[in-house]
Protein backbone atom coordinates (compact mmCIF):
# COMPACT_ATOMS: atom_id res chain seq x y z
CA UNK A 1 0.00 0.00 0.00
CA UNK A 2 1.21 3.50 -0.83
CA UNK A 3 1.87 5.56 2.30
CA UNK A 4 0.57 9.11 2.67
CA UNK A 5 4.11 10.39 2.33
CA UNK A 6 4.69 8.43 -0.87
CA UNK A 7 1.38 9.66 -2.24
CA UNK A 8 2.35 13.30 -1.60
CA UNK A 9 5.94 13.04 -2.86
CA UNK A 10 7.53 13.39 -6.26
CA UNK A 11 10.20 11.11 -7.69
CA UNK A 12 13.48 12.37 -9.18
CA UNK A 13 13.20 12.97 -12.93
CA UNK A 14 15.81 11.58 -15.29
CA UNK A 15 15.42 14.31 -17.86
CA UNK A 16 13.64 17.56 -18.72
CA UNK A 17 10.87 15.82 -20.71
CA UNK A 18 9.83 13.75 -17.71
CA UNK A 19 9.79 16.81 -15.50
CA UNK A 20 7.76 18.83 -17.99
CA UNK A 21 5.28 15.99 -18.36
CA UNK A 22 4.81 15.89 -14.59
CA UNK A 23 4.38 19.67 -14.35
CA UNK A 24 1.77 19.62 -17.11
CA UNK A 25 -0.12 16.76 -15.46
CA UNK A 26 0.05 18.51 -12.08
CA UNK A 27 -1.19 21.83 -13.42
CA UNK A 28 -3.97 20.02 -15.32
CA UNK A 29 -5.08 18.47 -12.05
CA UNK A 30 -4.22 14.92 -13.15
CA UNK A 31 -1.79 14.23 -10.29
CA UNK A 32 -1.57 15.62 -6.77
CA UNK A 33 0.90 18.32 -5.77
CA UNK A 34 3.89 17.07 -3.77
CA UNK A 35 4.13 18.51 -0.25
CA UNK A 36 5.37 22.06 -0.41
CA UNK A 37 7.14 24.60 1.76
CA UNK A 38 5.64 28.09 1.93
CA UNK A 39 8.06 30.76 0.75
CA UNK A 40 9.43 32.56 3.81
CA UNK A 41 11.22 35.85 3.60
CA UNK A 42 13.50 37.40 4.29
CA UNK A 43 16.14 34.72 4.00
CA UNK A 44 14.37 31.71 5.53
CA UNK A 45 13.59 29.53 2.53
CA UNK A 46 16.91 29.83 0.78
CA UNK A 47 18.92 27.16 -1.10
CA UNK A 48 19.51 24.84 1.86
CA UNK A 49 15.85 24.54 2.72
CA UNK A 50 14.65 24.33 -0.87
CA UNK A 51 17.18 21.60 -1.67
CA UNK A 52 16.37 19.69 1.53
CA UNK A 53 12.63 19.77 0.75
CA UNK A 54 13.47 18.47 -2.74
CA UNK A 55 15.72 15.73 -1.26
CA UNK A 56 12.81 14.67 0.96
CA UNK A 57 10.52 14.33 -2.08
CA UNK A 58 8.75 17.68 -1.84
CA UNK A 59 8.25 20.80 -3.90
CA UNK A 60 10.74 23.39 -2.65
CA UNK A 61 9.88 27.07 -2.85
CA UNK A 62 12.60 29.73 -2.66
CA UNK A 63 11.82 33.17 -1.27
CA UNK A 64 12.01 35.95 -3.82
CA UNK A 65 11.10 38.58 -1.19
CA UNK A 66 14.30 40.64 -1.00
CA UNK A 67 16.74 37.80 -1.70
CA UNK A 68 19.68 40.14 -1.05
CA UNK A 69 18.21 41.44 2.22
CA UNK A 70 20.71 39.74 4.49
CA UNK A 71 23.66 40.89 2.38
CA UNK A 72 22.67 44.54 2.06
CA UNK A 73 21.91 44.81 5.78
CA UNK A 74 25.58 44.12 6.54
CA UNK A 75 26.83 46.91 4.28
CA UNK A 76 27.68 50.49 5.28
CA UNK A 77 24.55 52.61 5.84
CA UNK A 78 25.40 54.67 2.73
CA UNK A 79 25.22 51.51 0.63
CA UNK A 80 21.84 50.46 1.99
CA UNK A 81 19.50 52.00 -0.55
CA UNK A 82 16.82 50.97 -3.04
CA UNK A 83 19.07 51.13 -6.10
CA UNK A 84 21.70 48.84 -4.61
CA UNK A 85 18.98 46.53 -3.32
CA UNK A 86 17.53 46.08 -6.81
CA UNK A 87 20.91 45.29 -8.34
CA UNK A 88 21.86 42.96 -5.49
CA UNK A 89 18.52 41.12 -5.66
CA UNK A 90 19.14 40.57 -9.34
CA UNK A 91 22.64 39.24 -8.71
CA UNK A 92 21.41 37.00 -5.91
CA UNK A 93 18.66 35.47 -8.07
CA UNK A 94 21.21 34.77 -10.81
CA UNK A 95 23.62 33.23 -8.31
CA UNK A 96 21.09 30.89 -6.69
CA UNK A 97 19.48 30.03 -10.03
CA UNK A 98 22.84 28.92 -11.46
CA UNK A 99 23.47 26.86 -8.34
CA UNK A 100 20.03 25.21 -8.45
CA UNK A 101 20.42 24.35 -12.12
CA UNK A 102 23.93 23.00 -11.66
CA UNK A 103 22.98 20.77 -8.75
CA UNK A 104 19.40 19.74 -9.53
CA UNK A 105 18.55 20.65 -13.09
CA UNK A 106 15.47 18.45 -13.40
CA UNK A 107 13.87 19.14 -10.04
CA UNK A 108 10.63 21.11 -9.83
CA UNK A 109 11.05 24.36 -7.94
CA UNK A 110 8.99 27.39 -7.09
CA UNK A 111 9.67 30.96 -6.08
CA UNK A 112 7.55 33.16 -3.84
CA UNK A 113 7.02 36.88 -4.37
CA UNK A 114 5.32 39.66 -2.44
CA UNK A 115 3.64 41.92 -4.93
CA UNK A 116 3.67 44.99 -2.66
CA UNK A 117 7.45 45.22 -2.68
CA UNK A 118 8.75 47.82 -5.17
CA UNK A 119 11.53 45.32 -6.03
CA UNK A 120 8.96 42.65 -6.97
CA UNK A 121 8.74 43.12 -10.76
CA UNK A 122 12.50 43.29 -11.31
CA UNK A 123 13.17 40.28 -9.06
CA UNK A 124 10.36 38.30 -10.69
CA UNK A 125 11.67 39.03 -14.17
CA UNK A 126 15.18 37.95 -13.18
CA UNK A 127 13.70 34.71 -11.83
CA UNK A 128 11.62 34.09 -14.95
CA UNK A 129 14.65 34.65 -17.16
CA UNK A 130 16.91 32.45 -15.04
CA UNK A 131 15.06 29.26 -15.96
CA UNK A 132 15.53 27.82 -12.47
CA UNK A 133 11.98 28.24 -11.17
CA UNK A 134 9.01 26.44 -12.70
CA UNK A 135 6.22 27.98 -10.65
CA UNK A 136 5.98 31.60 -9.49
CA UNK A 137 3.79 32.09 -6.44
CA UNK A 138 2.64 35.68 -6.06
CA UNK A 139 0.92 37.03 -2.97
CA UNK A 140 0.72 40.00 -0.58
CA UNK A 141 -1.03 42.12 -3.14
CA UNK A 142 -2.44 41.30 -6.56
CA UNK A 143 -0.60 41.75 -9.81
CA UNK A 144 -3.12 42.62 -12.52
CA UNK A 145 -0.46 42.40 -15.17
CA UNK A 146 0.71 38.92 -14.25
CA UNK A 147 -1.53 37.01 -16.71
CA UNK A 148 -0.04 39.09 -19.54
CA UNK A 149 3.53 38.92 -18.20
CA UNK A 150 3.39 35.13 -17.88
CA UNK A 151 2.04 34.72 -21.42
CA UNK A 152 4.87 36.93 -22.68
CA UNK A 153 7.51 35.07 -20.63
CA UNK A 154 6.31 31.77 -22.06
CA UNK A 155 6.36 33.09 -25.62
CA UNK A 156 9.98 34.21 -25.09
CA UNK A 157 10.93 30.86 -23.55
CA UNK A 158 9.30 28.85 -26.35
CA UNK A 159 11.67 30.44 -28.86
CA UNK A 160 14.67 29.07 -26.96
CA UNK A 161 13.34 25.96 -25.23
CA UNK A 162 10.06 24.83 -26.83
CA UNK A 163 9.68 21.97 -24.37
CA UNK A 164 9.69 24.09 -21.23
CA UNK A 165 6.89 26.04 -19.60
CA UNK A 166 6.61 28.65 -16.83
CA UNK A 167 3.62 28.45 -14.49
CA UNK A 168 2.12 30.75 -11.87
CA UNK A 169 -0.10 30.28 -8.86
CA UNK A 170 -1.58 33.32 -7.13
CA UNK A 171 -1.53 33.20 -3.33
CA UNK A 172 -5.07 34.01 -2.23
CA UNK A 173 -7.27 33.89 0.84
CA UNK A 174 -10.63 33.85 -0.92
CA UNK A 175 -12.31 32.46 -4.04
CA UNK A 176 -13.00 36.07 -5.04
CA UNK A 177 -9.31 36.92 -5.24
CA UNK A 178 -8.62 33.74 -7.24
CA UNK A 179 -11.45 34.66 -9.60
CA UNK A 180 -10.04 38.13 -10.16
CA UNK A 181 -6.94 36.57 -11.73
CA UNK A 182 -8.90 34.06 -13.76
CA UNK A 183 -11.30 36.68 -15.06
CA UNK A 184 -8.63 38.82 -16.62
CA UNK A 185 -8.11 35.88 -18.92
CA UNK A 186 -11.74 34.83 -19.33
CA UNK A 187 -13.18 38.31 -19.81
CA UNK A 188 -10.98 39.05 -22.78
CA UNK A 189 -12.26 36.00 -24.63
CA UNK A 190 -9.60 33.51 -23.45
CA UNK A 191 -6.53 34.44 -25.46
CA UNK A 192 -3.79 32.11 -24.21
CA UNK A 193 -1.20 33.77 -26.46
CA UNK A 194 -1.47 37.08 -24.67
CA UNK A 195 -3.04 36.23 -21.32
CA UNK A 196 -2.27 33.19 -19.22
CA UNK A 197 -4.84 32.04 -16.67
CA UNK A 198 -3.49 30.86 -13.30
CA UNK A 199 -2.00 27.38 -13.41
CA UNK A 200 -3.00 26.73 -9.81
CA UNK A 201 -3.91 28.50 -6.58
CA UNK A 202 -2.21 28.65 -3.20
CA UNK A 203 -4.97 29.23 -0.66
CA UNK A 204 -3.63 30.58 2.61
CA UNK A 205 -6.20 30.71 5.39
CA UNK A 206 -5.43 33.75 7.57
CA UNK A 207 -7.10 31.85 10.41
CA UNK A 208 -8.14 28.24 10.02
CA UNK A 209 -11.30 26.66 11.49
CA UNK A 210 -9.33 25.65 14.60
CA UNK A 211 -8.46 29.31 15.12
CA UNK A 212 -4.77 29.03 14.21
CA UNK A 213 -3.27 31.87 12.22
CA UNK A 214 -0.95 31.27 9.27
CA UNK A 215 2.60 32.55 9.76
CA UNK A 216 3.73 35.95 8.53
CA UNK A 217 1.51 38.47 6.81
CA UNK A 218 -2.11 37.52 6.44
CA UNK A 219 -3.96 38.30 3.22
CA UNK A 220 -6.44 40.43 4.99
CA UNK A 221 -6.41 44.22 5.37
CA UNK A 222 -5.98 45.79 8.78
CA UNK A 223 -8.77 47.38 10.81
CA UNK A 224 -11.25 44.57 10.15
CA UNK A 225 -11.90 41.74 12.59
CA UNK A 226 -10.62 38.36 11.39
CA UNK A 227 -13.32 35.76 11.68
CA UNK A 228 -12.39 32.10 10.94
CA UNK A 229 -15.91 31.63 9.51
CA UNK A 230 -14.86 33.87 6.60
CA UNK A 231 -12.12 31.41 5.74
CA UNK A 232 -13.90 28.12 5.40
CA UNK A 233 -11.54 25.95 3.31
CA UNK A 234 -14.36 23.89 1.83
CA UNK A 235 -16.28 26.98 0.71
CA UNK A 236 -13.15 28.58 -0.81
CA UNK A 237 -12.37 25.43 -2.79
CA UNK A 238 -15.98 25.13 -3.98
CA UNK A 239 -15.85 28.82 -5.02
CA UNK A 240 -12.70 28.26 -7.08
CA UNK A 241 -14.09 25.12 -8.69
CA UNK A 242 -17.03 27.17 -10.05
CA UNK A 243 -14.73 28.86 -12.58
CA UNK A 244 -11.70 26.57 -12.69
CA UNK A 245 -12.52 22.89 -12.56
CA UNK A 246 -9.08 21.37 -12.90
CA UNK A 247 -6.11 23.49 -11.79
CA UNK A 248 -4.48 22.40 -8.54
CA UNK A 249 -5.50 24.15 -5.33
CA UNK A 250 -3.06 23.89 -2.45
CA UNK A 251 -4.00 24.72 1.14
CA UNK A 252 -1.78 26.47 3.69
CA UNK A 253 -2.20 27.86 7.19
CA UNK A 254 -2.17 25.78 10.36
CA UNK A 255 -1.12 22.49 8.77
CA UNK A 256 1.48 20.43 10.61
CA UNK A 257 0.04 16.96 11.28
CA UNK A 258 -1.09 13.84 9.44
CA UNK A 259 -4.79 14.19 10.33
CA UNK A 260 -4.75 17.79 9.06
CA UNK A 261 -3.26 16.65 5.75
CA UNK A 262 -5.77 13.82 5.38
CA UNK A 263 -8.67 16.19 6.11
CA UNK A 264 -7.69 18.68 3.40
CA UNK A 265 -7.14 15.92 0.85
CA UNK A 266 -10.56 14.48 1.73
CA UNK A 267 -12.01 17.95 1.12
CA UNK A 268 -10.62 17.82 -2.43
CA UNK A 269 -7.47 19.96 -2.14
CA UNK A 270 -4.64 18.93 -4.47
CA UNK A 271 -1.89 19.41 -1.93
CA UNK A 272 -0.70 21.39 1.06
CA UNK A 273 2.03 23.74 2.13
CA UNK A 274 3.62 24.34 5.52
CA UNK A 275 5.49 27.39 6.75
CA UNK A 276 6.12 27.16 10.47
CA UNK A 277 6.87 23.40 10.36
CA UNK A 278 9.72 24.05 7.91
CA UNK A 279 10.90 27.14 9.74
CA UNK A 280 11.71 24.85 12.68
CA UNK A 281 14.45 22.96 10.86
CA UNK A 282 18.23 22.98 10.65
CA UNK A 283 18.05 24.02 7.02
CA UNK A 284 15.89 27.10 7.50
CA UNK A 285 17.64 30.46 7.57
CA UNK A 286 16.67 31.02 11.23
CA UNK A 287 19.49 30.22 13.69
CA UNK A 288 18.97 27.09 15.79
CA UNK A 289 19.55 29.05 19.00
CA UNK A 290 16.74 31.46 18.09
CA UNK A 291 14.44 28.57 17.25
CA UNK A 292 15.17 27.06 20.66
CA UNK A 293 15.07 30.19 22.79
CA UNK A 294 12.08 31.80 21.11
CA UNK A 295 9.99 29.44 18.97
CA UNK A 296 10.27 26.42 21.29
CA UNK A 297 9.97 28.52 24.44
CA UNK A 298 6.72 27.53 26.22
CA UNK A 299 6.46 31.00 27.76
CA UNK A 300 6.21 32.83 24.46
CA UNK A 301 2.82 33.11 22.81
CA UNK A 302 1.72 34.27 19.37
CA UNK A 303 0.20 37.65 18.64
CA UNK A 304 -1.79 38.80 15.65
CA UNK A 305 -1.13 42.50 15.35
CA UNK A 306 -1.44 45.49 13.04
CA UNK A 307 2.09 46.84 13.46
CA UNK A 308 3.42 45.78 10.08
CA UNK A 309 4.09 48.88 7.95
CA UNK A 310 2.58 47.07 4.95
CA UNK A 311 -1.08 47.49 5.86
CA UNK A 312 -1.62 43.78 6.59
CA UNK A 313 -2.16 41.89 9.78
CA UNK A 314 0.75 39.66 10.75
CA UNK A 315 1.15 36.67 13.01
CA UNK A 316 4.35 36.67 15.05
CA UNK A 317 5.85 35.59 18.36
CA UNK A 318 4.83 37.87 21.17
CA UNK A 319 8.31 39.26 21.92
CA UNK A 320 9.53 42.84 21.67
CA UNK A 321 10.97 44.30 18.53
CA UNK A 322 13.43 47.21 18.53
CA UNK A 323 12.17 50.08 20.61
CA UNK A 324 11.21 53.23 18.71
CA UNK A 325 13.61 55.90 19.96
CA UNK A 326 15.02 58.97 18.22
CA UNK A 327 18.24 57.06 17.56
CA UNK A 328 16.73 53.80 16.30
CA UNK A 329 14.36 55.70 14.01
CA UNK A 330 17.13 57.91 12.66
CA UNK A 331 19.30 54.88 11.95
CA UNK A 332 16.46 52.98 10.23
CA UNK A 333 15.68 55.95 8.00
CA UNK A 334 19.35 56.39 7.13
CA UNK A 335 19.51 52.72 6.08
CA UNK A 336 16.11 52.68 4.37
CA UNK A 337 16.07 50.44 1.27
CA UNK A 338 12.49 51.42 0.39
CA UNK A 339 11.52 47.77 0.98
CA UNK A 340 7.74 48.28 0.92
CA UNK A 341 7.73 51.60 -0.91
CA UNK A 342 5.40 54.54 -0.42
CA UNK A 343 2.88 52.57 1.62
CA UNK A 344 5.40 52.22 4.47
CA UNK A 345 3.60 53.24 7.64
CA UNK A 346 6.83 53.30 9.63
CA UNK A 347 8.39 55.95 7.41
CA UNK A 348 5.14 57.95 7.28
CA UNK A 349 4.87 58.00 11.07
CA UNK A 350 8.40 58.59 12.29
CA UNK A 351 7.36 61.66 14.25
CA UNK A 352 4.16 60.19 15.74
CA UNK A 353 5.15 59.15 19.24
CA UNK A 354 2.24 56.76 19.85
CA UNK A 355 2.78 54.94 16.54
CA UNK A 356 3.70 51.25 16.89
CA UNK A 357 4.87 50.33 13.38
CA UNK A 358 8.30 48.78 12.99
CA UNK A 359 10.88 48.99 10.19
CA UNK A 360 10.12 45.59 8.71
CA UNK A 361 13.34 45.02 6.77
CA UNK A 362 15.52 45.72 9.80
CA UNK A 363 13.42 43.72 12.24
CA UNK A 364 13.20 40.63 10.02
CA UNK A 365 16.94 40.61 9.39
CA UNK A 366 17.73 41.13 13.07
CA UNK A 367 15.69 38.02 13.86
CA UNK A 368 17.58 36.14 11.17
CA UNK A 369 20.92 37.21 12.63
CA UNK A 370 20.03 35.84 16.05
CA UNK A 371 19.57 39.20 17.75
CA UNK A 372 17.41 39.53 20.84
CA UNK A 373 14.97 42.09 19.42
CA UNK A 374 13.41 41.52 16.04
CA UNK A 375 10.40 40.28 14.16
CA UNK A 376 9.74 36.56 14.54
CA UNK A 377 6.88 35.57 12.23
CA UNK A 378 5.10 32.39 13.24
CA UNK A 379 1.94 30.43 12.63
CA UNK A 380 -0.41 30.22 15.62
CA UNK A 381 -0.09 26.43 15.87
CA UNK A 382 3.50 26.78 17.13
CA UNK A 383 2.11 26.67 20.69
CA UNK A 384 1.01 23.06 20.02
CA UNK A 385 3.82 21.95 17.72
CA UNK A 386 6.61 22.97 20.09
CA UNK A 387 5.60 20.07 22.38
CA UNK A 388 6.16 17.45 19.66
CA UNK A 389 8.80 14.86 20.48
CA UNK A 390 10.67 15.67 17.25
CA UNK A 391 11.96 18.81 19.04
CA UNK A 392 13.48 16.86 21.93
CA UNK A 393 16.43 14.52 22.27
CA UNK A 394 18.33 13.17 25.23
CA UNK A 395 20.17 16.47 25.60
CA UNK A 396 17.05 18.63 25.62
CA UNK A 397 15.68 20.86 22.89
CA UNK A 398 16.53 19.72 19.40
CA UNK A 399 16.12 21.25 15.95
CA UNK A 400 15.40 18.50 13.41
CA UNK A 401 16.51 18.26 9.80
CA UNK A 402 13.87 18.63 7.07
CA UNK A 403 13.88 14.88 6.48
CA UNK A 404 13.05 14.18 10.15
CA UNK A 405 10.40 16.90 10.14
CA UNK A 406 8.70 15.48 7.06
CA UNK A 407 8.80 11.95 8.51
CA UNK A 408 7.27 13.21 11.74
CA UNK A 409 4.53 15.22 10.02
CA UNK A 410 3.35 12.34 7.86
CA UNK A 411 3.21 9.87 10.73
CA UNK A 412 1.81 11.84 13.65
CA UNK A 413 -1.69 13.11 14.28
CA UNK A 414 -2.32 16.38 16.09
CA UNK A 415 -2.83 16.24 19.86
CA UNK A 416 -6.41 17.46 19.27
CA UNK A 417 -7.15 14.52 16.96
CA UNK A 418 -5.57 12.07 19.41
CA UNK A 419 -7.69 13.44 22.24
CA UNK A 420 -10.97 13.14 20.36
C1 LIG B 1 8.77 33.31 9.19
C2 LIG B 1 7.74 33.34 8.10
C3 LIG B 1 7.96 34.14 6.98
C4 LIG B 1 7.04 34.15 5.95
N1 LIG B 1 7.28 34.91 4.83
C5 LIG B 1 6.43 34.88 3.78
C6 LIG B 1 6.73 35.61 2.58
O1 LIG B 1 7.75 36.27 2.46
N2 LIG B 1 5.82 35.56 1.57
C7 LIG B 1 4.67 34.80 1.66
O2 LIG B 1 3.89 34.77 0.70
N3 LIG B 1 4.39 34.11 2.78
C8 LIG B 1 5.23 34.12 3.82
N4 LIG B 1 4.96 33.37 4.94
C9 LIG B 1 3.77 32.47 4.93
C10 LIG B 1 4.18 31.03 4.53
O3 LIG B 1 4.63 30.99 3.20
C11 LIG B 1 3.02 30.04 4.69
O4 LIG B 1 2.02 30.27 3.71
C12 LIG B 1 2.40 30.09 6.06
O5 LIG B 1 3.43 30.10 7.03
C13 LIG B 1 1.52 28.87 6.27
O6 LIG B 1 1.05 28.81 7.58
P1 LIG B 1 1.76 27.92 8.72
O7 LIG B 1 2.92 28.71 9.20
O8 LIG B 1 0.70 27.77 9.75
O9 LIG B 1 2.18 26.61 8.12
C14 LIG B 1 5.86 33.36 6.02
C15 LIG B 1 5.64 32.58 7.16
C16 LIG B 1 6.57 32.54 8.18
C17 LIG B 1 6.32 31.66 9.37
Amino acid sequence: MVSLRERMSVQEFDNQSEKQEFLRAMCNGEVEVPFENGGMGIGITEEDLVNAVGDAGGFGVYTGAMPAGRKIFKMDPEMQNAKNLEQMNHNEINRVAADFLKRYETRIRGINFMEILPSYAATRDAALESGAFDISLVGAGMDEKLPARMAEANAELKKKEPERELYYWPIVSSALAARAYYHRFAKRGKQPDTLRPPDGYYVELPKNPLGYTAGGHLGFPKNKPINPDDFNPEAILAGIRKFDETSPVVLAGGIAYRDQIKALLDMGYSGFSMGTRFLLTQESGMPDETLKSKYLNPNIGVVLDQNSPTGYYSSRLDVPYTERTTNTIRHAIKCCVDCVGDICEYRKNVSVSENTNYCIYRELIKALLGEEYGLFFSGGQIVVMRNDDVYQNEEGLYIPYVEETVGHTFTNDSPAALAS
Side-chain angles (χ1 to χ4, degrees), residues 330-346:
R330 191 182 300 131
H331 186 64
I333 296 299
K334 191 172 178 195
C335 300
C336 177
V337 293
D338 197 34
C339 65
V340 298
D342 293 341
I343 59 164
C344 180
E345 291 180 24
Y346 179 82

Side-chain angles (χ1 to χ4, degrees), residues 37-42 44-45 63-65 112-114 137-140 171 202-205 208 212-217 252-256 273-279 286 295 315 364 375-382 385:
N37 72 272
M40 291 184 270
I42 302 171
I44 293 170
T45 53
T63 170
N112 171 291
F113 298 108
M114 294 179 66
L137 296 113
V138 180
I171 302 173
Y202 181 109
V203 172
E204 190 191 71
L205 299 178
N208 74 9
Y212 295 124
T213 48
H217 285 115
I255 299 159
S273 172
M274 304 187 294
T276 305
R277 199 46 120 187
F278 284 118
L279 171 70
M286 194 64 84
Y295 286 89
S315 173
L364 284 174
L375 182 56
F376 302 85
F377 280 155
S378 174
Q381 198 169 210
I382 182 72
M385 290 159 61

Side-chain angles (χ1 to χ4, degrees), residues 38-82:
M40 291 184 270
I42 302 171
I44 293 170
T45 53
E46 294 192 323
E47 296 110 294
D48 286 354
L49 193 126
V50 173
N51 289 336
V53 169
D55 289 343
F59 166 34
V61 177
Y62 179 78
T63 170
M66 287 181 69
R70 193 198 293 257
K71 282 193 176 152
I72 198 166
F73 184 90
K74 292 181 180 164
M75 296 173 81
D76 289 343
E78 293 70 37
M79 301 296 286
Q80 295 186 41
N81 56 53

Side-chain angles (χ1 to χ4, degrees), residues 385-405:
M385 290 159 61
R386 61 168 58 129
N387 300 314
D388 292 352
D389 56 17
V390 72
Y391 304 117
Q392 289 283 339
N393 69 6
E394 15 349 297
E395 281 152 38
L397 290 178
Y398 172 71
I399 305 302
Y401 288 93
V402 163
E403 173 55 38
E404 295 168 274
T405 299

Side-chain angles (χ1 to χ4, degrees), residues 122-139:
T123 313
R124 178 205 61 203
D125 285 351
L128 291 176
E129 280 154 27
S130 76
F133 306 99
D134 305 292
I135 302 181
S136 297
L137 296 113
V138 180

Side-chain angles (χ1 to χ4, degrees), residues 16 29 66 91 99 108 124 144 151 154 161 186 201 253 264 266 280 291 307 337 343 360 388 408 410:
Q16 193 61 239
M66 287 181 69
N91 296 348
D99 193 52
I108 62 167
R124 178 205 61 203
E144 290 189 351
N154 272 293
E161 294 180 74
Y201 307 88
L264 66 92
D266 287 350
L280 301 174
L291 292 173
N307 297 342
V337 293
I343 59 164
I360 189 161
D388 292 352
H408 179 271
F410 276 113

